[in-house]
């Protein structure tokens, strides 16, 4: 792939699982990760790691789905990874962010249930 994976990162259990899966995919496909944190308002000017880094960090403000979709488009992302909200119910009824991204994103969206965190990678690679 050698592309870009955008991953929504916050402190939730579902987000932690999404970051873990995004890192596995990035390792497998030699892709770069852009971790996106969503906030109500910008606390300071956006800072990004150097262009040679494996992970970049971006902050999104305003409507979460629109912001993540815009960042994905700006980054020419190949994939968006987002966590489902907790437990079995979260797996069945995806978060509104995941649903909206599935409708509006410029690339495929992977929704990761929190139960995936800590599981060994499938297929024998990490």
């Amino acid at each position: 792939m050698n592309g870009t994976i955008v991953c929504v990162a916050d402190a939730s259990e579902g987000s932690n699982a999404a970051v873990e899966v995004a890192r596995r995919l990035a390792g497998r496909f030699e892709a770069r990760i852009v971790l996106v944190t969503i906030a109500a308002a910008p606390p300071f000017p956006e800072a990004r790691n150097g262009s040679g880094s494996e992970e970049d960090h971006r902050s999104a403000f305003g409507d979460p789905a629109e912001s993540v979709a815009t960042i994905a488009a700006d980054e020419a992302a190949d994939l968006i990874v987002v966590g489902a909200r907790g437990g079995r119910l979260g797996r069945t009824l995806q978060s509104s962010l995941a649903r909206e991204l599935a409708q509006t994103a410029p690339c495929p969206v992977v929704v990761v249930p929190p139960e995936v965190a800590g599981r060994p990678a499938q297929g024998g690679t990490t």
Side-chain angles (χ1 to χ4, degrees), residues 1 3 9 12 21 30-31 35 43-44 46 48 51 55 60 70 72 81 85 97-98 112 114 119 125:
M1 177 191 294
S12 72
V21 168
E30 298 178 8
L35 294 174
F44 49 84
E46 185 176 301
R48 294 188 63 174
S51 60
E55 292 183 356
T70 298
V81 180
R85 295 189 190 237
L97 175 59
V112 180
R119 283 189 196 165
T125 55

Side-chain angles (χ1 to χ4, degrees), residues 21 23 31 38 42-44 46 82 91 94 96-97 112 115 117 121:
V21 168
R23 286 179 175 151
I38 299 173
F44 49 84
E46 185 176 301
V82 63
R91 208 172 35 229
Q94 298 170 356
S96 60
L97 175 59
V112 180
E115 294 86 6

Side-chain angles (χ1 to χ4, degrees), residues 52-98:
S53 67
E54 186 176 311
E55 292 183 356
D56 289 331
H57 298 265
R58 301 269 309 261
S59 295
F61 310 101
D63 178 78
E66 183 179 318
S67 297
V68 172
T70 298
I71 289 171
D74 291 348
E75 296 286 344
D78 299 291
L79 185 68
I80 296 172
V81 180
V82 63
R85 295 189 190 237
R88 292 182 181 146
L89 180 60
R91 208 172 35 229
T92 304
L93 304 171
Q94 298 170 356
S95 69
S96 60
L97 175 59

Side-chain angles (χ1 to χ4, degrees), residues 95-109:
S95 69
S96 60
L97 175 59
R99 275 194 307 262
E100 287 182 49
L101 283 171
Q103 298 294 318
T104 63
C107 59
V109 177

Side-chain angles (χ1 to χ4, degrees), residues 1-55:
M1 177 191 294
N2 289 339
T4 300
I5 297 172
V6 169
C7 182
V8 179
D10 61 24
S12 72
E13 185 181 355
S15 173
N16 292 340
V19 170
E20 183 179 315
V21 168
R23 286 179 175 151
R24 287 181 194 169
L25 290 169
R28 182 175 283 185
F29 296 108
E30 298 178 8
R32 133 182 190 268
I33 298 175
V34 177
L35 294 174
V36 178
T37 303
I38 299 173
F44 49 84
E46 185 176 301
R48 294 188 63 174
N49 292 339
S51 60
S53 67
E54 186 176 311
E55 292 183 356

